[in-house]
Amino acid sequence: MTFIGEIFVGEVLNKPVLDPSGEEIGRVKDLLVSIGEPFPQVTSLIIKRKKRELIVPWDSINIFNRKVISSRIFKEELKEYLTSEIDILIGRDILDKQIVDINGVKVVRVNDIRLGEFDEKPCLVAVDIGMRGILRRLGLERRGEGIGMAIGYPLKHNLIGWNYIQPIEPRLTRLTLTIPRKSVATLHPADIAHIISQVSMKDRAVLFDSLDLDTAAEALPELEPDVQTSIINQMGKEQASDLLEQMSPDEAADIIGDLSPEKAKEILELMEEEDAENVQELLSHDEDTAGGLMTTEYIAYHSGLSVGDTIERFKRDASDIDTVYYIYILDEEERLIGVISLRDLLLSNTDSLLSEVMTRKVKTITPETDQKQVAKIISKYNLVSLPVVDEHNRLLGVVTIDDVINIFMPKRKKPRV
C-alpha cells in the first residue's frame, strides 16, 4: 500500500471501501490511531455499513488514496467496532479541536488532518488550520481555488506539522493541543493570557496547568478577574498557594480578594507566613485607594549606608522584586526621609552616604488616598512610583505607574466561548 501525493482525512471520510471483488463493504466513518513518536499512527479504519460500525485493520488495506480505498478482506470477515473512550479517533477526538498557533499567538481549530508515511507506516503528519481544510471537507476545495485565483487571492495552505504539537492531556479525547511548553514559555505573559482567554472555560485550567510555575505566575495577572477566579478554583489549594507565592503581593491580593472567603482562607493558611501577612495587609484596604493599589515589594535602606554598600545590597535584594524604580531612604526610626533613583545612585561617588546624595523632598500619599488622586500626583510630578506612608511617615508600600495605567486602561472584551 502506498500513498499517492498528499492525502487529507477530509478527502477520505465517507468514501466507499471496496472488498477484493470491488464490492462496497461500507463507507469510511473514522480512522483509529495510536499515539507514537514522532507521529500518531493510523491502525484501523472504522467503516459504516447500514447501521453497523465495522473495523478494518490497517494491515488489511490494499489501496488507500483519495480516489480508491480497497481492502484484502470481504464483508463477512469484518468485526463489529465497539465504541471505546480509550480509543483515539481522528474525527471524534481531533478534527475541530483547538490548537495554539504560536506564530499568530491565537487559538485556531483543526480543520483537517494531513496523512503521510513514516517508517512505511501511515501517520498523522500535520494539521490544516486554514480555509482549505474547511472547503476540502465540504467538497469545495477546487471551487475555492478557482474563486481565489479569479479575485487575485490564491488559496494558501496553512499547516502545522504534528512534530510541533503536543497534547496537554495524556490522551487526545476532549483535546486541546498546544505547542510544547518551552515554546509557550517564550511568549510574553500577555500573549499567553490572550491564548488562554480564547479557549473554552473547561479547557482553560488544563492549558494553564501545562505551564511551568514561573510562567503561570506571570500570565495569571494578565487575565480577566473572572477567568483568574475560575482557574484558581479548579486548582488544588497547595498548587494555588505555590502559584500565588510566586506573584507580587499586590497581584496575589487582587486575585485572593475575588475568591470566596473559604477558598481564600485555605490558600492563605498554606502560603509562607511573610507572604500571607503581606497579602492580608493589602486586603485590609479598599481596592480603589492607594492601599488597595500598592505593593509591599520595594527597596529601602537606612541613610547611613554608603553608595557602594547600597549597590552591593541592591544586587542581592532586587532579584526577588519584579519592578524597582527608586531606593527609599529611612532614618533610625524607620521613617521615610528621602529617595534616590537608580540612575542617580549609579552616578554618585561610591564613598558618599545615602543621606548626602538622596532627594529629601519626597511626594507621599496615605493608604486612604483615592486612586484618581494617586494618578494625578504621578502624572503631575512625572513619577514612576509613589510611596505610601502611615501617619508616622513609615513606609507601607509603593504604587507604581503600571498600577495607575491599569486603572484607566479600557477593559478587554470577554471572549465568546
Side-chain angles (χ1 to χ4, degrees):
M1 185 279 299
T2 58
F3 289 101
I4 301 176
E6 60 181 30
I7 301 175
F8 289 87
V9 171
E11 296 174 314
V12 297
L13 288 178
N14 205 39
K15 293 291 183 181
V17 180
L18 309 178
D19 68 11
S21 67
E23 181 182 349
E24 182 178 320
I25 58 175
R27 288 181 173 265
V28 178
K29 181 179 180 182
D30 218 326
L31 292 83
L32 186 65
V33 299
S34 64
I35 296 301
E37 293 293 339
F39 305 108
Q41 179 186 342
V42 178
T43 60
S44 303
L45 298 186
I46 308 301
I47 66 172
K48 190 167 185 179
R49 180 178 176 83
K50 297 181 179 179
K51 294 184 179 180
R52 299 174 63 202
E53 290 186 3
L54 307 170
I55 186 166
V56 182
W58 190 261
D59 57 14
S60 298
I61 298 296
N62 183 37
I63 300 174
F64 186 84
N65 58 56
R66 63 172 61 91
K67 295 185 180 295
V68 178
I69 303 175
S70 69
S71 71
R72 297 187 179 93
I73 57 178
F74 293 89
K75 61 184 178 183
E76 293 79 13
E77 302 174 68
L78 295 174
K79 295 181 180 179
E80 191 164 352
Y81 172 66
L82 302 177
T83 303
S84 170
E85 289 299 317
I86 298 176
D87 289 345
I88 300 169
L89 300 175
I90 290 180
R92 183 188 71 183
D93 301 321
I94 304 179
L95 286 180
D96 299 319
K97 298 304 187 291
Q98 296 173 314
I99 66 171
V100 173
D101 176 1
I102 199 154
N103 294 317
V105 193
K106 60 184 177 181
V107 173
V108 293
R109 291 190 179 275
V110 178
N111 296 326
D112 206 349
I113 301 286
R114 183 178 176 179
L115 304 177
E117 285 186 281
F118 184 80
D119 286 344
E120 299 183 349
K121 296 177 181 178
C123 296
L124 283 62
V125 297
V127 298
D128 190 332
I129 62 172
M131 181 58 67
R132 267 187 179 272
I134 297 174
L135 295 176
R136 189 183 302 115
R137 288 169 63 188
L138 294 172
L140 301 173
E141 184 179 16
R142 286 190 176 181
R143 185 178 299 180
E145 285 181 332
I147 294 173
M149 293 298 292
I151 63 176
Y153 289 95
L155 206 57
K156 296 181 179 179
H157 288 280
N158 198 348
L159 304 175
I160 296 179
W162 193 275
N163 54 312
Y164 291 105
I165 299 172
Q166 69 178 24
I168 61 172
E169 292 183 333
R171 292 168 52 239
L172 293 179
T173 52
R174 198 177 67 77
L175 179 71
T176 299
L177 296 169
T178 181
I179 301 301
R181 184 184 302 179
K182 289 182 180 179
S183 297
V184 175
T186 63
L187 294 175
H188 189 280
D191 290 332
I192 297 174
H194 177 64
I195 288 170
I196 292 173
S197 297
Q198 293 180 76
V199 301
S200 63
M201 186 67 73
K202 65 182 180 181
D203 289 330
R204 284 174 181 166
V206 180
L207 178 54
F208 194 83
D209 195 46
S210 73
L211 303 174
D212 63 77
L213 188 61
D214 290 338
T215 304
E218 293 177 342
L220 189 60
E222 300 289 339
L223 292 165
E224 292 293 337
D226 59 333
V227 179
Q228 295 173 344
T229 301
S230 173
I231 289 174
I232 293 294
N233 282 334
Q234 293 181 66
M235 285 183 179
K237 55 187 179 182
E238 291 83 4
Q239 182 185 6
S241 65
D242 290 342
L243 175 61
L244 292 169
E245 282 177 350
Q246 290 291 112
M247 299 166 57
S248 64
D250 56 324
E251 291 174 337
D254 288 341
I255 294 171
I256 291 177
D258 289 331
L259 301 175
S260 68
E262 296 77 17
K263 185 74 172 181
K265 183 174 183 294
E266 283 182 349
I267 293 173
L268 285 168
E269 287 176 347
L270 289 173
M271 293 177 67
E272 294 289 338
E273 184 176 353
E274 184 178 352
D275 292 329
E277 287 177 354
N278 287 333
V279 170
Q280 288 173 318
E281 165 64 22
L282 295 173
L283 288 172
S284 67
H285 302 288
D286 292 336
E287 63 178 13
D288 59 352
T289 64
L293 287 175
M294 72 180 183
T295 179
T296 54
E297 287 188 335
Y298 55 84
I299 298 290
Y301 299 131
H302 287 106
S303 59
L305 198 65
S306 71
V307 168
D309 289 341
T310 297
I311 292 173
E312 290 305 312
R313 287 186 60 178
F314 177 83
K315 290 178 182 178
R316 297 193 304 269
D317 299 340
S319 61
D320 296 327
I321 299 179
D322 289 338
T323 307
V324 182
Y325 299 108
Y326 305 112
I327 293 176
Y328 296 98
I329 319 300
L330 311 177
D331 66 12
E332 294 180 357
E333 280 75 41
E334 304 297 320
R335 293 174 298 192
L336 180 64
I337 58 172
V339 64
I340 185 169
S341 69
L342 297 183
R343 175 184 179 277
D344 289 343
L345 178 72
L346 293 174
L347 292 176
S348 298
N349 189 307
T350 56
D351 294 327
S352 299
L353 300 179
L354 289 180
S355 59
E356 299 170 342
V357 296
M358 68 183 186
T359 298
R360 294 182 179 274
K361 294 181 180 180
V362 186
K363 293 297 176 183
T364 62
I365 50 177
T366 66
E368 296 75 29
T369 304
D370 179 83
Q371 63 181 13
K372 291 184 178 179
Q373 183 62 26
V374 174
K376 287 181 181 179
I377 294 173
I378 284 181
S379 176
K380 180 178 180 179
Y381 295 100
N382 197 28
L383 302 172
V384 288
S385 70
L386 187 58
V388 183
V389 298
D390 64 12
E391 64 272 19
H392 303 295
N393 212 45
R394 294 190 179 94
L395 190 58
L396 301 176
V398 297
V399 177
T400 68
I401 191 170
D402 308 69
D403 301 316
V404 173
I405 289 173
N406 289 336
I407 297 171
F408 299 100
M409 285 290 288
K411 295 292 183 182
R412 289 173 291 208
K413 294 182 179 179
K414 294 182 179 179
R416 295 180 179 179
V417 295

